[in-house]
Amino acid sequence: MSSTRAAPPRRPPAPQGGSAGDRRMTWRDRLYRFDMRYMPYLMIAPFFLLFLVFGLFPLLFNAVVSLRNYRLDDPTLPYWAGLENFSRLIADEDFWNALYNTFGIFLLSTVPQLLLALLVASLLNRKLRAQTWWRVGVLLPYVTPIVASTMVFSVFFSRDFGMANWVLGLLGIGGADDPIDWRAGKLQAWIAIATMVNWKWIGYNALLYLAAMQSIPRDVYEAAAIDGAGQWKQLWRITVPMIQPVVLFTVILSTIGGLQLFTEPMLFDPNAQAATGGPDGEWQTIAQLIYKVGWKDLNLGYAAAMSWALFLIILIVAGLNYLLTNRLSGGRR
Amino acid sequence: MTTRRVVARAPQDTPAGLWTYLLLAVSMLFAAFPLYWMFVIATSDDEALAKLPPAVIPGDRFLTNVEEVFSLQDVYFAASLINSVIVSVVVTASVLFFCSLAGFAFAKLRFRGSRALMLFVVLTLTVPNQLGIVALYIVMGRLGWNGTLLAVIAPGLVTAFGVFYMRQFILNTVPDELIESARVDGATTMRVYATIVLPAIRPALAVLGLLTFVATWNDFQWPLITLSGTDYPTSMVAVSDLASGNYVIYRRVLAGAFIATVPLLVMLFIGGRQIVRGIMEGAVKS
């Protein structure tokens, strides 16, 4: 990752000679100097400009908005709200409910997702026929729009005639006489939504793990095999600890993504436009609540305060995950 | 598990056995079935959804359903597809150009503050941009862009990930000697970019282009906020509109969803190898 590069040669272009060429040379000299000195800044400027306007500024301005009365339907309120939005947040049952849902869905999706990804990766980490096609195949969910797949899963998880209940019925769970109503309780709804998240991301994470697995030096396995470690043992004792940095990376990624979950809970609701996440907020997530407060209740100031809370929560959870994953997989070796 | 077969080879050198293929086939089925079933319902009549065991064979009403989707008055489905193409193509082209330019500068050019600025780029990678979404809406309102495609296009024109990815690739693949010898011949920076860097990074352009296109096409939350209720939805917003209302007709919803998914399936079919490589390379480097 060293970024010291060889300096570009300082030599100006070959002079043309002659008196007429002198003026041209100074013009070229200037061009050359501009090119060397300022061109790099010009090349990186678009990123920084755009990030400033549409990334950094909104993030900071969000703080200002969160301290204001910013209601789209009532501009007559006093300009500043002080910490009112935040004190309201702490007493807001909807917020704590959404936080609870977000974490429930997050746990039900992250843990199975990463374990199954590990399994798929170890399957892919073999000498396979048509290797590329297997790898491309696991990416089908990754390229599918979440909007589209959520519509399908919404039908899968309908109470009557749903595929999920039919399959469970075959296994002796629920069945036609006593079908599971996936939208009637927290746990059912969380499981349904977590299934969608898992479906979407298992393949992607599997490829991340696969890449890391293939960069493990081969002689490590040879040594282990000589020591008599079987395949299963090799997976848990060698492969997993060796790919720990990537595991950490995927844990952080799915934390950031999972805590911002929006599309699945939105469209799982037959009455999506209300953004309530079920009649009693059974599966309303924080991102969804922010949307509802901001664009249905038209209270942008309060929505901004919630965004800050979410930001804080993500930071804390990502940090905790980092420590936890580090300890868990580090302690094994 | 108790069969203690001693394998002296690394897993990737061990030929896959029957069980591996079987389990992989099951995962494939799990991955593909929702897509297949989307097609089944998209081609069926209303009764297909009220059957047990569920229908699993495509019907013959695909064109009827599609026609209905396109003729719905307040969904603007045809326009939404065009909008999605415009947004995704513009964003992808812009990301490729500006990110490769910046990546080249960070990888091969010397300028004051380049290290600190690159560190800044990497740091911005970790900030979830959704968090400023309320303020972004207000900013777009000031600019008068809410409800127009500009609001969706502008924030995506250059990405930190793209700059980072391009820098890594250029650092590793474009030889310094090549650049230096072009410099000696009097080539300007832009000329070096056009004649040396661009041809060398074609594989990375393909990867970044595909990933960007897929992500832009699939984006939902921000387009929903800024475009919903206007005459200019993207296809994702339009599909979600199909499913709103008191009585949802799922064969229509899934026909619309299927049409909005097909471009991405085609891309995966054509560029799957590149997408796989892009994801796997990203994993090793991060």
Side-chain angles (χ1 to χ4, degrees):
Chain A
M1 281 275 283
S2 104
S3 59
T4 28
R5 309 302 323 161
R10 289 274 152 86
R11 198 188 328 161
Q16 306 275 314
S19 57
D22 274 336
R23 215 184 301 145
R24 243 169 77 198
M25 208 182 86
T26 54
W27 180 81
R28 282 191 128 197
D29 248 1
R30 240 182 262 161
L31 180 76
Y32 179 79
R33 258 185 43 179
F34 173 84
D35 194 40
M36 278 299 149
R37 222 179 258 177
Y38 303 111
M39 200 55 196
Y41 295 107
L42 218 62
M43 291 160 79
I44 62 170
F47 169 77
F48 286 93
L49 275 178
L50 232 79
F51 180 73
L52 214 68
V53 178
F54 298 119
L56 194 62
F57 177 72
L59 213 60
L60 299 177
F61 186 47
N62 208 41
V64 179
V65 176
S66 71
L67 298 173
R68 281 179 53 181
N69 283 311
Y70 208 119
R71 294 195 60 108
L72 292 173
D73 56 345
D74 185 3
T76 59
L77 290 166
Y79 192 85
W80 293 107
L83 293 174
E84 220 168 84
N85 286 323
F86 289 96
S87 55
R88 179 177 166 191
L89 183 78
I90 289 170
D92 190 344
E93 261 174 49
D94 285 354
F95 176 74
W96 295 107
N97 174 57
L99 192 64
Y100 182 50
N101 290 336
T102 307
F103 273 101
I105 298 170
F106 168 64
L107 283 181
L108 287 176
S109 55
T110 308
V111 177
Q113 181 192 135
L114 297 183
L115 285 176
L116 285 170
L118 202 62
L119 186 75
V120 173
S122 67
L123 292 174
L124 287 170
N125 193 21
R126 285 291 150 93
K127 219 174 179 173
L128 288 168
R129 280 161 202 272
Q131 190 195 54
T132 310
W133 284 108
W134 292 109
R135 292 180 185 177
V136 172
V138 298
L139 279 187
L140 271 174
Y142 173 75
V143 300
T144 305
I146 301 182
V147 170
S149 57
T150 303
M151 297 298 179
V152 176
F153 280 103
S154 271
V155 184
F156 275 173
F157 287 108
S158 59
R159 192 191 60 193
D160 311 310
F161 305 112
M163 182 94 61
N165 275 340
W166 180 72
V167 172
L168 286 175
L170 293 184
L171 301 172
I173 307 164
D177 348 301
D178 182 22
I180 299 169
D181 190 344
W182 296 96
R183 290 172 177 82
K186 276 192 187 300
L187 187 64
Q188 301 95 294
W190 291 357
I191 291 174
I193 290 169
T195 307
M196 303 177 202
V197 180
N198 290 330
W199 180 78
K200 169 90 179 173
W201 294 108
I202 287 173
Y204 174 81
N205 284 309
L207 284 190
L208 294 183
Y209 291 159
L210 177 64
M213 286 176 179
Q214 302 209 322
S215 61
I216 298 174
R218 288 176 154 81
D219 47 359
V220 180
Y221 286 104
E222 277 156 29
I226 291 162
D227 289 348
Q231 287 183 25
W232 190 250
K233 226 176 186 174
Q234 283 184 19
L235 175 67
W236 287 106
R237 289 288 161 80
I238 302 174
T239 310
V240 174
M242 293 283 278
I243 65 170
Q244 186 215 332
V246 176
V247 174
L248 201 65
F249 175 66
T250 56
V251 168
I252 304 274
L253 265 192
S254 45
T255 305
I256 295 174
L259 296 183
Q260 299 185 86
L261 202 66
F262 177 77
T263 308
E264 292 93 338
M266 270 296 276
L267 299 178
F268 182 58
D269 197 334
N271 184 15
Q273 278 304 312
T276 52
D280 278 319
E282 283 89 347
W283 63 87
Q284 187 182 48
T285 60
I286 301 223
Q288 211 182 344
L289 181 61
I290 291 175
Y291 173 75
K292 178 182 170 285
V293 168
W295 287 276
K296 297 293 158 187
D297 306 344
L298 304 176
N299 193 345
L300 288 181
Y302 191 34
M306 266 181 195
S307 305
W308 272 108
L310 179 60
F311 186 37
L312 216 69
I313 292 161
I314 291 179
L315 274 187
I316 293 170
V317 176
L320 280 179
N321 271 338
Y322 181 84
L323 291 177
L324 201 74
T325 318
N326 228 353
R327 169 110 6 131
L328 279 182
S329 45
R332 203 170 263 156
R333 298 183 68 203
Chain B
M1 257 181 280
T2 43
T3 50
R4 286 211 140 196
R5 231 172 358 123
V6 174
V7 187
R9 281 173 299 198
Q12 62 261 48
D13 302 324
T14 315
L18 182 66
W19 274 106
T20 306
Y21 280 111
L22 216 65
L23 286 172
L24 272 178
V26 172
S27 346
M28 252 355 112
L29 194 72
F30 180 68
F33 186 73
L35 285 164
Y36 172 73
W37 202 68
M38 178 162 40
F39 182 69
V40 171
I41 299 304
T43 55
S44 305
D45 50 25
D46 288 320
E47 274 159 45
L49 275 175
K51 258 194 218 160
L52 282 180
V56 285
I57 295 162
D60 54 2
R61 290 180 44 107
F62 185 60
L63 288 179
T64 326
N65 291 339
V66 168
E67 220 180 294
E68 284 182 34
V69 170
F70 275 103
S71 58
L72 282 171
Q73 282 295 313
D74 42 1
V75 173
Y76 309 102
F77 197 74
S80 82
L81 288 175
I82 297 170
N83 289 339
S84 277
V85 169
I86 294 172
V87 170
S88 307
V89 167
V90 171
V91 167
T92 304
S94 159
V95 160
L96 290 183
F97 179 64
F98 287 122
C99 291
S100 61
L101 216 54
F104 170 42
F106 278 123
K108 298 288 179 185
L109 303 182
R110 230 190 200 188
F111 54 99
R112 199 170 292 174
S114 73
R115 269 171 177 243
L117 290 170
M118 187 62 215
L119 188 69
F120 184 80
V121 172
V122 173
L123 280 180
T124 65
L125 266 174
T126 57
V127 180
N129 51 359
Q130 231 194 64
L131 299 172
I133 212 162
V134 173
L136 184 65
Y137 182 78
I138 296 172
V139 170
M140 289 297 178
R142 285 283 157 83
L143 293 170
W145 290 358
N146 273 325
T148 72
L149 293 187
L150 267 177
V152 184
I153 292 173
L157 289 176
V158 207
T159 60
F161 171 76
V163 174
F164 178 72
Y165 183 76
M166 281 299 165
R167 172 187 176 263
Q168 297 303 93
F169 194 86
I170 293 169
L171 208 56
N172 295 329
T173 52
V174 183
D176 289 338
E177 301 81 52
L178 219 61
I179 297 177
E180 270 160 42
S181 69
R183 290 286 200 198
V184 172
D185 291 342
T188 59
T189 307
M190 281 312 281
R191 204 178 164 77
V192 173
Y193 169 76
T195 56
I196 295 171
V197 176
L198 268 190
I201 61 171
R202 253 185 236 155
L205 289 175
V207 169
L208 183 62
L210 286 164
L211 293 180
T212 307
F213 190 95
V214 171
T216 312
W217 184 277
N218 290 350
D219 198 14
F220 179 60
Q221 187 177 14
W222 175 240
L224 175 75
I225 287 173
T226 184
L227 297 181
S228 116
T230 69
D231 302 357
Y232 308 98
T234 59
S235 59
M236 292 304 120
V237 178
V239 170
S240 79
D241 280 344
L242 282 175
S244 73
N246 291 328
Y247 181 63
V248 179
I249 301 167
Y250 275 102
R251 60 185 164 80
R252 279 188 195 159
V253 177
L254 295 188
F258 183 75
I259 295 170
T261 307
V262 164
L264 301 177
L265 296 181
V266 171
M267 275 200 170
L268 185 67
F269 189 75
I270 297 171
R273 198 181 285 264
Q274 272 81 13
I275 298 180
V276 167
R277 212 187 45 211
I279 291 171
M280 289 180 66
E281 273 172 359
V284 175
K285 271 165 198 154
S286 49

